[in-house]
Amino acid sequence: MKRIYILLSLLVLAVCCDPVKPDEGGNNNQQPGSDGKLSDITYQLNVYSFADSDGDGWGDIKGITQHLDYLDGLGATALWLSPVQTSTSYHGYDVIDYNSINPRLGTEADFKDLIDKAKEKGIDIYMDYVLNHSGRGEWFNSAISDENSPYRSFYVLSDNYTADVAAGKVDNFAGATSPGMGSWHTAAGGNIGYKGRLHFKLDWGKKTITVTETTAAAQSSNPSASKWLWVGSTGLVGLYPTGGDIHEITFDVDTDWGFLVRSSSTSWDNGTKWGGNGTSITFGQPYTLNSSTASDITFGGSHIWYFASFDASMPDLNYGPYAKASESPAFKALAASADKWINMGVAGLRLDAVIWIYQNQAKANATFLKQWYDRCNGTYKARGGEGDIYMVGEAWEETSKIASYYEGLPSLFNFSYWWTLKDRINKNKGNDFAKTILGFRNQYKPYRAGFIDAIKLSNHDEDRAGNDLGRDQAKEKLAGAVLLTSPGKPFIYQGEELGYWGTKSKGDEYIRTPVKWTRTGSVPTVALNGKVDHSMLTADISVEAQSESETSVLSVYRAFAKARNTYKALALGEMTEVSCNTPAMALWTMSHDGQTVLVAHNFGGAPVSAVVNGKKITDAIVANGTWSASGITLTLGPYSSVVLLQ
Ligand code: MG
């Protein structure tokens, strides 16, 4: 039985009100049909910090199962879980066993139970799949320690990578002469580190560094440096300018891998990170720095080098020549593990860091991804999955640079969506928003009919939307309302629906804060090593308190999610811009299967009016803030929104 929610109608002056039950939201979904799935709302959650079922300070899989009503109440029809496979870090992006569940998060039985219980509520489970790299586990240790290891080919290994790259032997680079990101690290060999007092003299003009053993007095790191060393477990050490292009420091070094030079204290991009070319330093001799390969600068020994796009703890996986990646042993092993989870009932995968699988080479990556998608979709269909498997890639780039990835995958995160939205809200300019979004979509069309534009605000790797919007709740509600009235497949990141804030400046943990379920209850902090901003986690920000307030951020998310799940025009509609001369007003229609809604948002902090010709502006299906209609004039209060049935 189809239920139609008329949340607000025929109100001349309306304030958002969606009095869902005050606990965890209840049923906020139409049961998704096959046609409804493409525009479903997905909730992105950090398993380690969402909900802790056993009080050990780690969020866990059972905690999710216990809060399915909350997710259902948010209108979610899918959950993207942070990696649940066994790993060594709290965040899980360094998987060491793709076939097992991280015991800190639960058991395989817990995972199966979550899949089944979620399915009963019309909620699919998407796994985060890390294909670019693994952690340093059994596979890696075997690969670097045994020339005959079956895992030798799984990693990007070389004993002379300068020559191997030049000769085109490094398949991972897909023909590029240097990586787009990352560096070579020593995996084995003699004594490559150093412990003792050293003097470092960086000649930035010549791009050389001279290291000398010394008994001179040690210096502390220069906090106002412009050039830094990155050393062992110490991390950042600031050099002192001593005239011209020279920067120096003397300190006690303790490193088991060597060091790197950095020209930025915040960026790891190539061009700001300087290392070596596969050789060790000689004390007292200038050593020439290299920014394109940027391998660790070591103190001796013989080396096997491995390549890592990200941290040294996450060696890149090697799939061989991209055109036949599916024949590589690493691909087969990863695919076999994916088969296991898909056959258990997983309905989708979120693929991490897909532009780095072949070092920012779009054609190579898209070719690889198509093979991966086809393989997984085959498994999904063979087990009787509905439609096609869902798969979304994290290609963290502007829309124009990632569009061609749609040749490989049905869905990609649209980072430009949020970058545009926050810019427009902060500039109080809404009347070019629809045109901009349609421009993104037009870039995708040539590459895949039926592309699924995965739209989002912030995620677990970005400063919180709350910060980007000045911790202004009115703007946060507006952003949520825009997200849930835009074309595409919206992702809600854990905490955004509660108005969380947090930045990466003191650690990524601060953008991955646990959900505060009740006014007085505690939150799990062990996984995050205590790095939780308790000043934010007041009683008022809790789910309990926000559920009881009709004007909370949470209630706005619930109301707009309910509208999206009720009106196919919102969930599945084609967007059409409605031109508007009021700069702060964003206006568009969404139409599907004979149903049309008019979407109106005020991106500004002052009331605005617009003459809306040829549209009905009387029948609201959902609203936030204040709005009114008089004749053909629509008026919206500050940062307010309304959706009007046509
Ligand atoms: Mg726990």
Side-chain angles (χ1 to χ4, degrees), residues 46 48-49 57 90-91 464 493 500-514 523-537:
N46 300 315
Y48 50 81
S49 69
Y90 79 90
H91 51 68
R464 284 277 189 183
Y493 175 47
Y500 274 14
W501 61 83
T503 71
K504 294 161 62 76
S505 61
K506 290 182 181 173
D508 289 348
E509 293 88 343
Y510 290 96
I511 55 174
R512 301 167 178 177
T513 304
V523 298
T525 61
V526 174
L528 298 174
N529 198 22
K531 295 181 179 178
V532 173
D533 178 5
H534 290 283
S535 74
M536 178 181 73
L537 296 177

Side-chain angles (χ1 to χ4, degrees), residues 61-211:
I61 293 167
K62 275 187 180 169
I64 305 168
T65 309
Q66 291 170 355
H67 288 85
L68 284 172
D69 276 351
Y70 175 74
L71 299 160
D72 194 31
L74 263 175
T77 52
L79 309 179
W80 155 24
L81 310 185
S82 62
V84 294
Q85 294 144 313
T86 303
S87 66
T88 58
S89 66
Y90 79 90
H91 51 68
Y93 285 96
D94 56 338
V95 177
I96 57 171
D97 181 0
Y98 287 86
N99 288 307
S100 67
I101 296 292
N102 187 340
R104 289 185 294 206
L105 304 177
T107 66
E108 213 168 288
D110 294 340
F111 189 54
K112 177 79 169 92
D113 188 52
L114 170 63
I115 292 170
D116 293 344
K117 296 251 170 57
K119 191 69 188 168
E120 290 170 13
K121 293 183 178 294
I123 298 175
D124 285 335
I125 300 298
Y126 301 159
M127 285 181 90
D128 200 320
Y129 237 78
V130 190
L131 294 171
N132 179 71
H133 54 263
S134 74
R136 294 178 52 152
E138 187 182 326
W139 286 0
F140 182 74
N141 292 331
S142 171
I144 62 171
S145 61
D146 177 3
E147 283 187 27
N148 298 313
S149 166
Y151 306 109
R152 190 80 169 180
S153 73
F154 279 38
Y155 295 95
V156 186
L157 302 178
S158 174
D159 54 12
N160 186 343
Y161 65 77
T162 305
D164 284 349
V165 170
K169 291 181 179 174
V170 180
D171 295 323
N172 180 273
F173 283 30
T177 54
S178 64
M181 183 174 73
S183 50
W184 293 87
H185 303 275
T186 42
N191 179 21
I192 60 172
Y194 190 85
K195 187 169 186 176
R197 188 161 299 175
L198 294 176
H199 176 76
F200 293 81
K201 181 179 180 181
L202 172 67
D203 186 328
W204 191 244
K206 294 179 179 172
K207 298 293 188 297
T208 61
I209 193 161
T210 305
V211 185

Side-chain angles (χ1 to χ4, degrees), residues 462-477:
E462 300 170 284
D463 286 352
R464 284 277 189 183
N467 280 81
D468 288 339
L469 299 174
R471 290 167 54 172
D472 181 327
Q473 281 206 351
K475 291 184 179 179
E476 290 165 27
K477 292 177 199 173

Side-chain angles (χ1 to χ4, degrees), residues 18-63:
D18 175 31
V20 290
K21 72 180 187 183
D23 50 10
E24 295 211 339
N27 185 343
N28 200 358
N29 288 321
Q30 303 292 298
Q31 289 302 307
S34 57
D35 61 345
K37 203 170 185 183
L38 296 184
S39 291
D40 283 346
I41 297 163
T42 302
Y43 188 85
Q44 178 197 350
L45 69 80
N46 300 315
V47 180
Y48 50 81
S49 69
F50 180 70
D52 178 12
S53 71
D54 57 5
D56 68 350
W58 280 73
D60 44 49
I61 293 167
K62 275 187 180 169

